[in-house]
Amino acid sequence: MASSTPPAPGSRDRLSDLPDFLLGHVLSFLPNKEAGRAAGLSRRWRDIFCNVHTISFAESQGERADDWSSDYYEAEEKKSGSAALLDDVCSALLCRRRTAGQHVPLRSLRFAFDSCHHWDFVHVDQWLSYVLRHSNQELHLDLRFQIGQICSRKDDEGHDEGREEGVVDSGTDNSDHEDECDKMSRLWTYVLPRRLFTCTVIRTLRVACCRLKLPTAVNLPLLETLSITAPHCDGGRSIQRLISSCPRLIDLTLEGIYRLKRVSVLDKRLRRFALRCCHNVKSVDIGASELRSLDYCGTVPAESLLSLHGLRGVPSCTVDFCIALSQEAEFTRFRGFMEKISDAKYLHLHNRSLESRFFLGFPSFSSLTRLVLQGPLDSCGIVVSVGRILEQTPNLEILSLYMEERVKDTEDQYGTMGEEYEDDVVEKEKDAESDDLFVAPYEFMVPDEASFSMPCLRHRMKEINMVHYVGDETQRMMARLLFRNALVLERMCVVLVKGTFELQSKLKNEIDSWVMADVEKTFL
């Protein structure tokens, strides 16, 4: 065995010989706190942090959740609950000034408050003033003032009618409403500085849970990526004016904008467009000649909602629905929407809100080579639905199933894959003579291996991934049908949930027995 030899006396540290700006660029790919620790390596590294071009700090979701229930708001001296985040960002900015003796331009500023309160606004003003004043090449901003769910429909099967019925039409000027918004903004909502919208070096702008309040003139000639999430009191006209002021825009995300009614992006060369939970939008017109990715989340859109000009299909699509679909009209709109994107080569479909019957008329995706299905796999009907999708994807090569947890407490039901289920597995192993161990609920018949003998499985499928594999009856049925029919499979990956070593070994051996091809296997 070769032993490591210590460096020879007087050997050069070639890494430290690199110029400061290059060392700073390398450290920019580390979390800021780890990059700051590099100052302790040697005297040579003491001032390198001032050349780190990215400052990024974030709170975790729910970190400020207990503030209202404590004596925090009754204290005479108001101190921010986000003191750690404020100190981190302020220290990083001050360190650059002290160590360099001059203002080194930043390329990227990212921060995320779990909940930003009005006494934090003065600090954010100082940060943005510093960054905008000393940026001279390119600037990427990611400013999140709240973390959490922005769509109430994902929490409830019904939707928040009151919230949407009270929305003011984006095409109507309402001075009383604007005055009320101004008062609320000053108290509880951060208003972005007007100088930000005339900073000509901004390349990326992502903002969440704040107010834009655009100035009369907006000038963002280099902006390529724009993401707006849950703006406060900003109407559709303001959003449209901001979009129109970005001539080089290629990536647009609109999320949780309840006052948005219409969007038109016909004069841009968009490559990616995402529309999430903008439930009052009536029409979207996109110049899609170069569009490569479409991300939609909301209710089932009407046929007239999305108009793609210059391109029949989009190569990559992600589709999610906020509420469970059940009505006949929704079924018709669902099929029409899926036909509109049927030329996709990659499809990520969230199926948690879709009844199994919605896949009866699933359109043909003849160009699809990669499919991701995300949602609970908890009934025979879902297994049948996956089979129907595979019948319509003859050229599919990669299938990934992200099996979300049930609503029930999985630890109680399976006990970290616990004792009751382990006994159930042992009992069923004794009955190995019959493969039909599952009872079909409702009107669905239990699919057999012959019914899953689709052309894509037998002749095209090269990779299958299953994530959050508990090993219950339905998941075992799905795994058995897939792996026994995938004759040309090259790679497979199954991510097991946490459990005992003995039970995980049993599940692994069971899956191994179903795999018919000589494949590269990964169990995590």
Side-chain angles (χ1 to χ4, degrees):
M1 179 182 296
S3 59
S4 58
T5 57
S11 60
R12 294 175 56 190
D13 179 4
R14 296 190 178 184
L15 182 60
S16 297
D17 286 343
L18 295 174
D20 289 358
F21 78 91
L22 192 54
L23 291 176
H25 179 74
V26 173
L27 292 180
S28 297
F29 293 96
L30 294 174
N32 279 164
K33 290 187 177 181
E34 294 186 14
R37 295 189 188 104
L41 291 177
S42 67
R43 188 174 298 176
R44 167 70 179 89
W45 288 76
R46 182 177 300 172
D47 299 334
I48 296 301
F49 186 80
C50 70
N51 291 278
V52 173
H53 54 65
T54 298
I55 290 181
S56 177
F57 293 99
E59 293 180 323
S60 58
Q61 184 173 346
E63 193 169 335
R64 304 268 68 79
D66 296 332
D67 286 352
W68 288 103
S69 59
S70 66
D71 58 356
Y72 177 71
Y73 286 89
E74 299 177 1
E76 294 183 3
E77 183 181 2
K78 297 299 183 183
K79 293 184 178 180
S80 174
S82 301
L85 174 64
L86 299 178
D87 289 345
D88 287 339
V89 178
C90 290
S91 298
L93 292 175
L94 289 173
C95 178
R96 299 169 62 82
R97 171 64 173 172
R98 287 198 302 264
T99 57
Q102 59 183 349
H103 295 282
V104 179
L106 272 179
R107 288 181 55 187
S108 179
L109 172 65
R110 306 187 187 104
F111 62 76
F113 288 88
D114 179 47
S115 182
C116 185
H117 300 305
H118 57 87
W119 47 77
D120 299 329
F121 294 170
V122 62
H123 297 282
V124 180
D125 284 336
Q126 292 172 351
W127 301 344
L128 293 180
S129 175
Y130 173 87
V131 171
L132 295 175
R133 187 168 64 249
H134 299 289
S135 298
N136 57 14
Q137 293 181 347
E138 63 176 281
L139 180 60
H140 305 268
L141 297 176
D142 190 344
L143 319 176
R144 299 190 65 87
F145 295 87
Q146 187 174 340
I147 304 173
Q149 186 69 267
I150 56 95
C151 179
S152 60
R153 296 189 177 194
K154 289 187 176 182
D155 297 327
D156 305 315
E157 289 192 1
H159 56 270
D160 192 351
E161 294 288 353
R163 184 175 185 179
E164 294 187 16
E165 289 178 357
V167 173
V168 177
D169 191 331
S170 60
T172 303
D173 292 328
N174 189 322
S175 59
D176 294 336
H177 181 77
E178 292 296 329
D179 292 340
E180 182 182 351
C181 283
D182 285 336
K183 293 178 182 178
M184 293 180 63
S185 295
R186 286 194 294 269
L187 290 175
W188 299 107
T189 306
Y190 183 80
V191 181
L192 294 175
R194 294 195 170 192
R195 181 177 179 178
L196 185 148
F197 298 102
T198 56
C199 181
T200 58
V201 297
I202 295 181
R203 296 284 185 92
T204 300
L205 179 59
R206 302 180 187 274
V207 294
C209 303
C210 60
R211 188 174 182 194
L212 306 181
K213 200 175 183 181
L214 298 181
T216 303
V218 179
N219 183 26
L220 298 170
L222 299 182
L223 189 68
E224 297 179 345
T225 300
L226 175 63
S227 175
I228 305 173
T229 299
H232 184 78
C233 290
D234 292 291
R237 286 183 174 179
S238 295
I239 303 299
Q240 181 63 59
R241 187 158 68 90
L242 177 58
I243 294 172
S244 301
S245 302
C246 307
R248 298 183 61 176
L249 191 64
I250 60 176
D251 187 334
L252 175 62
T253 299
L254 304 174
E255 185 175 23
I257 309 177
Y258 291 95
R259 299 183 67 205
L260 185 65
K261 296 296 184 69
R262 295 172 181 83
V263 180
S264 178
V265 195
L266 295 175
D267 57 341
K268 309 289 189 297
R269 293 186 170 183
L270 279 187
R271 297 177 186 173
R272 180 183 178 275
F273 176 67
L275 183 70
R276 304 192 191 104
C277 304
C278 299
H279 298 304
N280 291 296
V281 170
K282 304 301 181 184
S283 65
V284 178
D285 294 288
I286 301 294
S289 59
E290 297 186 18
L291 194 64
R292 294 295 176 265
S293 176
L294 174 66
D295 186 343
Y296 176 81
C297 179
T299 57
V300 182
E303 184 177 356
S304 60
L305 173 68
L306 185 62
S307 298
L308 302 176
H309 300 268
L311 182 68
R312 182 173 179 269
V314 183
S316 176
C317 296
T318 300
V319 180
D320 191 6
F321 299 104
C322 297
I323 58 175
L325 310 182
S326 58
Q327 300 178 5
E328 189 65 29
E330 292 175 329
F331 171 77
T332 303
R333 294 202 303 269
F334 170 76
R335 178 177 173 82
F337 181 73
M338 299 307 292
E339 286 179 347
K340 187 172 292 188
I341 61 173
S342 59
D343 286 339
K345 297 180 179 179
Y346 168 86
L347 175 63
H348 186 157
L349 178 61
H350 295 254
N351 60 292
R352 75 175 74 85
S353 301
L354 297 173
E355 292 185 358
S356 300
R357 66 186 182 90
F358 273 70
F359 297 98
L360 286 171
F362 197 78
S364 174
F365 280 72
S366 58
S367 301
L368 196 69
T369 59
R370 183 176 180 183
L371 173 64
V372 178
L373 296 176
Q374 183 170 344
L377 185 61
D378 54 6
S379 70
C380 179
I382 301 297
V383 177
V384 174
S385 299
V386 174
R388 289 170 178 164
I389 295 175
L390 295 180
E391 288 176 349
Q392 300 300 319
T393 55
N395 295 305
L396 190 65
E397 296 180 356
I398 300 176
L399 173 65
S400 299
L401 301 178
Y402 289 88
M403 301 171 289
E404 296 178 346
E405 296 183 25
R406 291 171 171 78
V407 177
K408 296 180 181 179
D409 187 350
T410 54
E411 186 170 349
D412 291 338
Q413 186 176 3
Y414 304 109
T416 64
M417 303 175 67
E419 297 178 358
E420 292 184 4
Y421 173 67
E422 187 168 351
D423 294 339
D424 182 58
V425 171
V426 174
E427 189 68 27
K428 286 176 180 175
E429 286 179 347
K430 295 179 181 179
D431 192 15
E433 296 179 359
S434 173
D435 282 332
D436 189 6
L437 301 175
F438 315 103
V439 179
Y442 309 111
E443 72 276 16
F444 296 104
M445 296 183 62
V446 177
D448 55 19
E449 292 179 23
S451 66
F452 253 70
S453 183
M454 293 91 172
C456 69
L457 275 175
R458 301 184 68 85
H459 305 297
R460 304 286 296 183
M461 191 73 68
K462 297 180 180 179
E463 180 176 337
I464 295 178
N465 305 296
M466 300 184 74
V467 180
H468 195 268
Y469 187 83
V470 177
D472 61 13
E473 290 184 352
T474 309
Q475 292 185 0
R476 294 170 68 226
M477 179 199 301
M478 186 80 263
R480 175 172 57 85
L481 294 174
L482 289 175
F483 291 126
R484 284 195 173 178
N485 285 283
L487 302 183
V488 295
L489 196 65
E490 297 177 359
R491 295 177 298 276
M492 58 161 284
C493 178
V494 179
V495 180
L496 305 172
V497 298
K498 184 178 180 181
T500 64
F501 176 77
E502 181 181 3
L503 184 55
Q504 287 192 340
S505 296
K506 288 180 180 179
L507 294 176
K508 176 180 178 297
N509 293 334
E510 184 178 45
I511 294 174
D512 281 338
S513 68
W514 293 331
V515 178
M516 305 301 293
D518 184 14
V519 303
E520 177 186 339
K521 302 174 184 178
T522 303
F523 291 91
L524 300 175

